[in-house]
Amino acid sequence: MRITEYVSFDAVGLAELVTEGEVTPAELEAAAREAAQAVNPQINAIVETWPADDEPSPGSAPLAGVPFLIKDIAVSMAGKRMELGSRLAAGNVSSADSSLMLRFRRAGLVTFGRTATPEMAYSNTTEPVLYGATRNPWDLARSAGGSSGGSGAAVAAGVVPIAHATDAAGSIRVPAAHNGLFGLKPTRGRVSVGPYFDELFNGLVVHGSISRTVRDSATLLDQIRGPEPGDPYFAQEPSRPYVEEVTRHPGSARIGVLTQAWGGRRTTTPVADALSHTTRLLESLGHQVEEVEVDLGVDWEEFVLASARQWTANLTASVDELAAAFDRPIDSSTLEPPILASYHYGQRVTGAQFVTALEIRNRIARSLARYFGTHDILLTPTVPELPLLLGTHAAGAETLDGLGWLRRLLDHSPFTAPFNVAGTPAMSVPVTADAETGLPIGMQFAAGYGLEGRLFRLAGQLEQASPWSGRTPTVWAGNHTGH
């Protein structure tokens, strides 16, 4: 299969070709590898590839034969490295598949590599010392976002139609926005993080994917959702498969619009213009749209401080465990300055401060739940600005403590993190692009707990009304003729 043909299909379309006998999984894997070889030297999204050991039978699963990439954190694949983007974990090899990896296999996916993440997934740009910076295929001078920036750049450049991603504060949605893709953060408890964890960062982290089409994300979520024995969280199963929601009419939804972020971070003009465009589009589709103010239940500085304590305490425990496992020092030879500073900050967090941070999490969840009692959806920009220039996000980070670094992260993506705290689903949709630069701009839509179906219905409608599949970046595997 030629690369130009390969990139014209989404994951569901490729699986259909396999089922119909028009192409084999091996041929698709070869095309994906050729695509990776064509674009990865420019974007640095993939840190390792390997000969795939999955051999799904055609038609045996909804995504049978589709090439796939996993993020270099939080998912274990037997015999493969998971290094968390860090020199501290360099060379770490997983001994067994995690629950999620087993579900990826059962879905029929053919996993042949792993994508870049910032160190410990603790940044919203992907520029780790271990691998080097991942570049945005729309503009190689800019960030692909984070922490799932490698997955976002690989999908945007056409290497695979969908890739694994995680999200603790926006790490699915930010790369989706920066790379012109669809990315949905599921409800807390929708996808198991077991068996090696009962929760990650006290439930902030969820697994999901980044894709070029809505139906691909819906199809994969159908395959990986549901609890494992012993999971601490459980989200009620949907009444119908998510992939069916994509083609269902969403009705006339009551949608609130939050134009400016909590904490006073101003939305830049290109993003504000995109938000206005999206509002008009929603109104033309029959939705009831109104500007709103949304109470978080705490002031922004309380939110930032509680987040810093919760995040760094979890980070410190993970760093200590890794250092002990690999007999490595915890210093500048193994950790980047922001992570080392966050580690030391986490060492000083007391048990009482940690419990108070969890209490603030509860207040935020209750407050956002009250909003969703009167509105179906909340619309915000995914991020308040265009993708950052590489090298700027961590400038001066060596002078920051753990609180200062966390404040910088939340300043870049202030709209996304509260929905991780509340555990509610939220998605970034590439509704439009900046007129001056051509860079994609994502819009975030959030819904109440367990209501991914509502989001998929709206996303399917937006995809039909304002298609984005024809927009491709400068670095695009389809520009290479292949074999």
Side-chain angles (χ1 to χ4, degrees):
M1 172 179 268
R2 292 184 178 274
I3 297 181
T4 51
E5 183 182 8
Y6 167 75
V7 299
S8 69
F9 291 92
D10 67 357
V12 172
L14 291 175
E16 289 172 349
L17 292 180
V18 172
T19 298
E20 294 162 3
E22 296 186 25
V23 68
T24 67
E27 289 170 331
L28 290 184
E29 183 187 346
R33 289 182 179 281
E34 191 172 354
Q37 291 168 2
V39 300
N40 200 54
Q42 295 169 274
I43 60 174
N44 194 35
I46 304 166
V47 299
E48 183 186 14
T49 61
W50 51 74
D53 58 5
D54 298 289
E55 298 179 357
S57 301
S60 60
L63 297 172
V66 175
F68 193 64
L69 296 166
I70 54 175
K71 185 178 177 180
D72 186 34
I73 197 167
V75 58
S76 302
M77 187 176 186
K80 300 297 186 291
R81 282 184 290 172
M82 180 179 64
E83 298 175 308
L84 296 80
S86 178
R87 291 166 292 171
L88 185 64
N92 176 50
V93 176
S94 300
S95 60
D97 285 353
S98 61
S99 299
L100 180 61
M101 193 66 230
L102 291 172
R103 293 186 184 201
F104 285 153
R105 292 186 193 273
R106 287 198 293 268
L109 294 166
V110 177
T111 303
F112 71 99
R114 57 192 173 108
T115 60
T117 176
E119 185 167 52
M120 306 293 176
Y122 211 82
S123 178
N124 30 36
T125 183
T126 304
E127 305 177 47
V129 169
L130 183 63
Y131 318 130
T134 295
R135 299 180 178 276
N136 192 315
W138 294 85
D139 180 345
L140 294 175
R142 294 181 184 263
S143 168
S147 63
S148 305
S151 290
V155 173
V159 177
V160 288
I162 186 169
H164 167 243
T166 64
D167 194 314
S171 292
I172 288 174
R173 291 157 288 162
V174 172
H178 284 353
N179 292 283
L181 303 169
F182 177 78
L184 182 141
K185 179 199 83 68
T187 294
R188 179 181 298 141
R190 180 67 67 206
V191 181
S192 176
V193 299
Y196 308 112
F197 305 99
D198 65 342
E199 59 179 4
L200 290 168
F201 276 49
N202 303 109
L204 295 180
V205 178
V206 294
H207 286 289
S209 63
I210 297 177
S211 62
R212 292 201 297 271
T213 66
V214 176
R215 71 173 184 174
D216 278 359
S217 282
T219 299
L220 182 55
L221 187 54
D222 279 331
Q223 299 306 302
I224 64 175
R225 60 178 165 85
E228 291 285 339
D231 280 357
Y233 303 113
F234 172 74
Q236 183 175 350
E237 288 293 281
S239 59
R240 64 180 64 87
Y242 290 130
V243 71
E244 293 182 10
E245 300 285 15
V246 175
T247 55
R248 290 175 65 89
H249 195 278
S252 177
R254 187 174 183 189
I255 301 175
V257 183
L258 185 67
T259 59
Q260 302 296 336
W262 299 282
R265 176 68 160 87
R266 304 302 294 176
T267 301
T268 59
T269 298
V271 178
D273 290 345
L275 181 62
S276 296
H277 167 84
T278 303
T279 298
R280 293 191 298 271
L281 175 61
L282 291 167
E283 290 172 337
S284 74
L285 294 171
H287 299 291
Q288 306 167 56
V289 185
E290 60 178 353
E291 192 166 326
V292 295
E293 296 292 330
V294 181
D295 181 18
L296 274 185
V298 298
D299 68 38
W300 186 249
E301 281 307 307
E302 277 187 287
F303 175 78
V304 173
L305 179 59
S307 297
R309 288 171 171 170
Q310 184 179 347
W311 283 41
T312 60
N314 278 274
L315 175 72
T316 297
S318 297
V319 167
D320 281 338
E321 183 178 354
L322 288 167
F326 297 108
D327 192 24
R328 288 172 179 159
I330 300 172
D331 57 25
S332 59
S333 71
T334 57
L335 293 176
E336 297 168 29
I339 308 305
L340 187 58
S342 297
Y343 169 80
H344 290 309
Y345 187 92
Q347 287 181 307
R348 298 190 295 272
V349 174
T350 68
Q353 289 172 336
F354 185 76
V355 171
T356 299
L358 296 182
E359 190 274 330
I360 288 175
R361 178 186 70 174
N362 175 63
R363 285 157 59 187
I364 293 167
R366 304 291 178 179
S367 188
L368 286 177
R370 285 191 291 273
Y371 168 82
F372 289 118
T374 60
H375 291 77
D376 298 312
I377 286 171
L378 178 64
L379 164 64
T380 78
T382 305
V383 288
E385 60 193 336
L386 297 176
L388 298 171
L389 292 172
L390 290 170
T392 61
H393 188 53
E398 63 277 359
T399 67
L400 300 176
D401 64 2
L403 175 60
W405 178 246
L406 199 281
R407 181 178 284 113
R408 181 175 293 191
L409 299 189
L410 293 178
D411 183 66
H412 177 61
S413 54
F415 290 107
T416 53
F419 302 106
N420 295 81
V421 175
T424 54
M427 64 182 181
S428 182
V429 183
V431 179
T432 187
D434 176 39
E436 181 177 345
T437 63
L439 291 168
I441 298 176
M443 290 291 119
Q444 178 179 239
F445 298 84
Y449 196 91
L451 297 179
E452 288 95 329
R454 180 175 292 173
L455 294 178
F456 277 124
R457 287 193 294 275
L458 179 61
Q461 183 186 51
L462 291 171
E463 189 175 31
Q464 292 297 313
S466 183
W468 55 81
S469 61
R471 301 200 300 259
T472 56
T474 303
V475 179
W476 171 241
N479 294 336
H480 299 263
T481 56
H483 63 273

